[in-house]
């Protein structure tokens, strides 16, 4: 790589790091916490950031009683709150057992007690209690099919809610008549608390028929037990359910906050930031092609002395799996972007998931530059073949372009940054 390329890639990584820091629970949780309530307080929660959130609560309130469920490798040291580990993105028996324990804790609360719920992305798989007549195996098979279908998170979580005894407001209902405060870190486009982690503390107006329609729309044929469950009323709470009247839910960190932090970091590097949106959805490869065309148009309008542009975006892309490779939406976006740019001079990019896990791989995403196609060709690799196989992680691992962070202990969804520099005369 040239020194110019190294500088560009280091700057893009600094923007990603700024985005993660803006969503660190150790910063955003204490600022959002009320004074510790009098009487008995139980702390519960689930998600990739939940252990870090619990750690932040105890840094402000001192040791607490409670239980949170997080993904393997995302645990943190806590003094009183128990940390349970479970599988993600497909649930497992550990998640079922931990959720049952949590529901038992909440069910023992009374009118003068208080529950603090800590919710972040990933809780849809970690907080799991199958609805009556549905087995864990049913949910595992359906979850894997949904994740491979290219369905948006709104559709996936609608299905999850109506097959669960804890989502769609049912966690808050389990604590009633105790009061509940829910602090939520958003990982969904639009930051709707009813969609984040399938809304365990928020009522929902959808129906089982809506969930069944979502499966049909995305070509998923559910097993008989799933279809039967979606043919009868579910336990999802309506928005006006009286059991939710004593629960207050607040979003305390979101993709927009992280993009703003990245924009400030870009300005500090002398780049001109442009935020394209914090709620972009769709197929990763399609969004990448659109962004490649936009970057080339922006570059054509730059003069030789103009400051480079930093095009920033967030949201949640999807991948419809067609091949047998290893990939995730961020790496697939980066791969499709490199293919569409075809070595265009002066354009570099990074695409990563802010939780440090892109898809099911222990890698956050990837970075690309003008030399990516040539480096792939020199290594005997084809960008187009890798894209056809959904093998973005395999290709970037071979090129040494993968971004590995380990668990970041937060989750505000995808982060993308494209650096567009003027073409040198």
């Amino acid at each position: 790589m040239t020194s110019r390329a190294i500088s560009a890639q280091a700057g893009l990584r600094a923007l990603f790091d700024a985005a993660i820091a803006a969503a660190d629970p150790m910063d955003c949780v204490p600022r959002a916490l009320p004074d510790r309530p009098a009487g008995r307080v139980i702390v519960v929660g689930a998600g990739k950031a939940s252990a870090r959130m619990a750690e932040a609560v105890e840094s402000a309130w001192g040791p607490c009683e409670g239980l949170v469920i997080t993904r393997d490798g995302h645990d943190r040291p806590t003094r009183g709150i128990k940390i349970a580990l479970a599988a993600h993105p497909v649930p497992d028996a550990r998640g079922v057992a931990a959720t049952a324990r949590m529901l038992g804790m909440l069910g023992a609360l009374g009118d003068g007690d208080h529950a603090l719920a800590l919710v972040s992305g990933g809780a849809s798989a970690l907080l799991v209690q199958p609805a009556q007549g549905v087995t864990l195996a049913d949910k595992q098979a359906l979850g894997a099919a949904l994740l491979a279908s290219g369905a948006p998170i709104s559709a996936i979580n609608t299905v999850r809610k109506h097959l669960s005894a804890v989502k769609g407001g049912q966690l808050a209902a389990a604590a009633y008549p105790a009061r509940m405060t829910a602090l939520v870190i958003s990982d969904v486009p639009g930051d709707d608390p009813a969609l984040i982690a399938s809304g365990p503390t928020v009522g929902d107006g959808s129906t089982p028929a809506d969930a069944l329609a979502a499966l049909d729309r995305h070509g998923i044929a559910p097993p008989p037990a799933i279809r039967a469950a979606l043919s009868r009323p579910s336990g999802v709470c309506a928005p006006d359910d009286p059991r939710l009247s004593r629960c207050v839910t607040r979003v305390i960190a979101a993709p927009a906050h992280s993009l703003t932090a990245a924009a400030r970091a870009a300005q500090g590097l002398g780049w001109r930031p442009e935020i394209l949106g914090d709620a972009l959805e769709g197929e990763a490869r399609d969004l990448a092609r659109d962004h490649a065309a936009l970057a080339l148009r922006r570059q054509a309008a730059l003069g030789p002395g103009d400051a480079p542009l930093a095009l920033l975006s967030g949201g949640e892309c999807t991948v419809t799996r067609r091949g047998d490779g290893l990939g995730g939406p961020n790496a697939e976006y980066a791969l499709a972007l490199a293919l569409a740019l075809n070595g265009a001079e002066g354009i570099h990019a990074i695409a990563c998931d802010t939780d440090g896990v892109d898809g099911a791989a222990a890698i956050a995403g990837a970075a690309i530059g003008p030399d990516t196609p040539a480096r792939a060709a020199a290594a005997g690799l084809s960008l187009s073949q890798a894209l056809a196989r959904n093998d973005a992680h395999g290709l970037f691992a071979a090129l040494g372009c993968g971004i590995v962070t380990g668990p970041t202990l937060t989750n505000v969804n995808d982060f993308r940054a494209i650096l567009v520099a003027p073409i040198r005369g």
Side-chain angles (χ1 to χ4, degrees), residues 36 41 43 54-55 57-66 78-81:
R36 183 168 181 163
V41 178
V43 179
E55 181 184 17
V57 168
E58 291 193 329
S59 74
W61 280 1
C64 297
E65 178 184 3
T78 49
R79 289 176 282 171
I81 302 168

Side-chain angles (χ1 to χ4, degrees), residues 125 262 338-339:
L339 190 61

Side-chain angles (χ1 to χ4, degrees), residues 31-414:
R31 287 190 283 107
L33 271 179
D35 292 335
R36 183 168 181 163
R40 188 182 184 196
V41 178
I42 293 286
V43 179
V44 297
K48 297 174 188 175
S50 63
R52 181 72 160 173
M53 296 172 80
E55 181 184 17
V57 168
E58 291 193 329
S59 74
W61 280 1
C64 297
E65 178 184 3
L67 172 68
V68 301
I69 310 169
T70 195
R71 178 180 177 147
D72 289 308
H74 291 241
D75 54 315
R76 295 295 297 166
T78 49
R79 289 176 282 171
I81 302 168
K82 304 299 183 185
I83 307 296
L85 301 177
H88 181 280
V90 178
D92 67 359
R94 292 177 298 163
V96 174
T99 302
R101 286 169 55 201
M102 187 182 299
L103 290 172
M105 289 179 176
L106 294 176
L109 296 179
D111 187 29
D113 299 327
H114 196 105
L116 176 67
L118 308 174
V119 180
S120 70
S124 290
L126 297 164
L127 193 64
V128 55
Q129 188 78 353
Q132 185 177 4
V134 177
T135 67
L136 175 61
D138 290 332
K139 293 202 72 171
Q140 289 171 326
L142 184 65
L146 281 165
L147 292 170
S149 72
I153 193 63
S154 56
I156 292 174
N157 283 359
T158 295
V159 174
R160 285 166 160 167
K161 288 180 188 184
H162 292 285
L163 296 173
S164 171
V166 71
K167 299 176 175 67
Q170 295 178 85
L171 185 74
Y176 185 82
R179 294 189 179 277
M180 175 178 279
T181 300
L183 303 183
V184 179
I185 293 178
S186 173
D187 73 328
V188 302
D191 307 326
D192 183 353
L195 292 179
I196 302 164
S198 301
T201 68
V202 181
D204 187 272
S206 68
T207 67
D210 294 327
L212 198 55
L215 294 177
D216 292 341
R217 189 162 57 248
H218 293 282
I220 298 173
I226 296 289
R227 186 169 289 277
L230 295 178
S231 299
R232 57 179 180 261
S234 73
V236 169
C237 300
D240 60 354
D241 190 308
R243 295 172 297 170
L244 304 181
S245 63
R246 308 196 82 188
C247 178
V248 176
T249 298
R250 295 180 55 199
V251 175
I252 63 169
H257 306 152
S258 288
L259 290 180
T260 299
R264 287 195 297 266
Q267 290 173 328
L269 294 172
W271 302 346
R272 183 158 55 90
E274 179 182 344
I275 297 178
L276 305 179
D278 66 343
L280 304 187
E281 296 183 276
E283 282 285 326
R285 62 181 66 192
D286 294 340
L287 184 64
R289 284 192 288 266
D290 291 344
H291 282 183
L294 175 64
L296 291 170
R297 289 197 303 272
R298 291 286 195 272
Q299 187 180 56
L302 291 175
D306 288 342
L309 293 175
L311 305 178
L312 308 175
S313 64
E316 183 165 75
C317 292
T318 53
V319 171
T320 302
R321 287 192 60 80
R322 302 173 177 87
D324 60 354
L326 179 62
N330 288 281
E332 181 147 316
Y333 170 93
L335 174 56
L337 187 69
L339 190 61
L341 289 171
N342 193 30
E345 179 187 341
I347 302 180
H348 302 257
I350 188 171
C352 292
D353 198 312
T354 54
D355 65 7
V357 181
D358 185 35
I363 185 169
I368 63 144
D371 62 346
T372 300
R375 293 180 62 211
L381 301 171
S382 165
L383 299 184
S384 59
Q385 289 179 12
L387 185 61
R389 291 186 53 225
N390 301 118
D391 194 33
H393 285 314
L395 181 133
F396 287 125
L399 297 183
C401 297
I403 305 294
V404 179
T405 62
T408 65
L409 307 176
T410 191
N411 186 11
V412 287
N413 231 320
D414 299 342

